Amino acid sequence: MHWAIDIGSDAIVGVLLRYGADPNLQRSSDGWTPLHFAAFFNKPACLKTVLSGSKACRLEIRDMYGMTALDYARERNNHACVALLEQYAADPTTFGSAVPAVCGGAAPAMSDTPLIKAVKAKNQAEVEKILAVSTADLDKGSLFVSRVLQTHYV
């Protein structure tokens, strides 16, 4: 499916999904899923096909660098991909619960989520935007986020 996304063929991505391709398959070289690939290379049509074509699609998967597809879409200013991932409830405030096999089972140490990056940059508008589309409970398991918010906004 990665190759179909590379050439920008959402039709082929759809066919692959209908025939059982795994939307969560991670490349062994970097841990990228089809979502990472589509978000990084700004392929919103392919991203939408993957998101809408599989109920098993996991948005929280992180690559070997601790990055989700949403992280890459935001970092590269791929606005259409960011909007799609937010629409499909990618939660930008949580650390990934899925640890890619390519990482050897070890989660990256305290990688910054888009929310934490926005907080550290003192970008209040971005913080509010992220929290407006998030379903995360900031009171649960987000002590680090709370500390960053206190440090930068209090």
Side-chain angles (χ1 to χ4, degrees):
M1 190 178 326
H2 293 78
W3 285 105
I5 292 169
D6 184 40
I7 63 170
S9 179
D10 55 313
I12 293 174
V13 170
V15 169
L16 292 169
L17 286 169
R18 282 194 301 280
Y19 280 87
D22 182 358
N24 302 310
L25 181 67
Q26 293 179 270
R27 290 191 320 186
S28 60
S29 60
D30 54 18
W32 276 19
T33 66
L35 291 180
H36 285 90
F37 210 83
F40 185 90
F41 291 110
N42 199 26
K43 306 285 185 172
C46 292
L47 183 63
K48 185 174 184 175
T49 301
V50 175
L51 289 168
S52 62
S54 175
K55 293 179 182 174
C57 194
R58 292 179 42 223
L59 301 155
E60 79 280 2
I61 293 177
R62 295 182 179 273
D63 67 7
M64 67 185 300
Y65 306 105
M67 300 282 282
T68 65
L70 180 59
D71 292 333
Y72 283 120
R74 284 186 179 278
E75 179 179 271
R76 298 180 60 84
N77 294 315
N78 295 337
H79 302 292
C81 292
V82 169
L84 282 167
L85 289 163
E86 288 176 346
Q87 175 186 345
Y88 281 85
D91 188 347
T93 65
T94 59
F95 296 104
S97 58
V99 177
V102 73
C103 291
M110 277 307 218
S111 62
D112 287 352
T113 65
L115 175 63
I116 292 171
K117 288 176 185 176
V119 169
K120 286 181 176 179
K122 297 184 180 184
N123 186 341
Q124 185 172 353
E126 184 68 10
V127 169
E128 290 177 14
K129 180 180 173 187
I130 290 169
L131 293 175
V133 298
S134 172
T135 58
D137 181 351
L138 292 179
D139 294 328
K140 288 186 179 176
S142 194
L143 181 59
F144 181 69
V145 171
S146 297
R147 286 185 185 150
V148 173
L149 286 170
Q150 289 171 358
T151 303
H152 290 284
Y153 284 120
V154 176

